[in-house]
Amino acid sequence: MPIRPFAPPDRLLAGMHGETDHRGFLVTHVVFRDEAGAPVLKLADTDKAVRCMLERRCQTCGLDIAPDDQIVFVGYSADATFKEPPLHLDCADYSLGVCPALITRHRHDQLLVVVCRDYEFLPGSEGRSPRCRPLPAIDEHGREVPPVEYTVEELHRMLTERASGRHD
């Protein structure tokens, strides 16, 4: 499968006005800023991250995730909860395609990508940071539909097929 280019979603460019760090990487919404206001892409601003979790906002672009939009969580979760805020599907696809921390980590093959329609916020307690737990959805027949787990490669493949019209 040829490597496809990962163009930034329009909402990311609109939400962040195309700001880049000193290496040319797009600055995301939850990025930490140093004393001089320069983005430090390796660190997240905890307050912004928690607000994204509480307000159903994308950690990458900072824009609202609509109730009927798919939500993506990315992380190394052993208990089906995530300490990273939610993402739009296209923002997740972009981030998983270009983020150096996600691409080069030695645990890349253990990275869990979960797509769902809703989640619950779990406030931090007993030394544990706030987290999100993806929730099942209810289909048109009233049946419970669990969140779907993907590998990074499966998500990229599904979205490539969807964009080419080969996937429903």
Side-chain angles (χ1 to χ4, degrees):
M1 175 178 196
I3 297 174
R4 69 181 171 94
F6 289 94
D10 291 340
R11 74 172 101 233
L12 176 58
L13 295 174
M16 299 310 297
H17 310 291
E19 180 185 5
T20 59
D21 75 351
H22 67 282
R23 299 165 298 172
F25 290 107
L26 281 171
V27 175
T28 62
H29 177 69
V30 298
V31 73
F32 177 81
R33 293 181 181 271
D34 66 18
E35 313 78 44
V40 181
L41 294 185
K42 291 182 179 182
L43 300 174
D45 180 317
T46 304
D47 291 337
K48 282 184 180 179
V50 170
R51 274 197 310 276
C52 285
M53 291 176 185
L54 288 169
E55 298 173 3
R56 195 177 166 110
R57 290 183 177 270
C58 177
Q59 68 167 302
T60 299
C61 69
L63 301 175
D64 290 339
I65 300 174
D68 58 338
D69 281 350
Q70 291 180 308
I71 302 167
V72 179
F73 288 99
V74 176
Y76 301 98
S77 178
D79 64 357
T81 64
F82 295 86
K83 66 179 182 176
E84 298 290 331
L87 299 112
H88 290 105
L89 190 60
D90 56 348
C91 289
D93 185 44
Y94 174 75
S95 295
L96 290 164
V98 302
C99 175
L102 295 174
I103 292 171
T104 60
R105 279 212 174 130
H106 66 282
R107 298 188 316 164
H108 177 78
D109 59 336
Q110 297 171 359
L111 192 62
L112 183 61
V113 179
V114 174
V115 178
C116 61
R117 292 281 181 191
D118 202 6
Y119 65 92
E120 71 177 316
F121 174 74
L122 305 170
S125 63
E126 300 175 16
R128 190 168 188 186
S129 61
R131 299 175 94 67
C132 293
R133 177 183 296 130
L135 297 174
I138 304 298
D139 72 10
E140 64 274 4
H141 304 291
R143 294 180 295 221
E144 193 172 272
V145 179
V148 179
E149 293 182 15
Y150 292 95
T151 64
V152 174
E153 291 76 18
E154 289 169 339
L155 182 71
H156 290 324
R157 185 172 35 255
M158 182 266 291
L159 292 172
T160 299
E161 290 172 358
R162 182 181 288 175
S164 70
R166 295 183 311 208
H167 187 274
D168 298 316

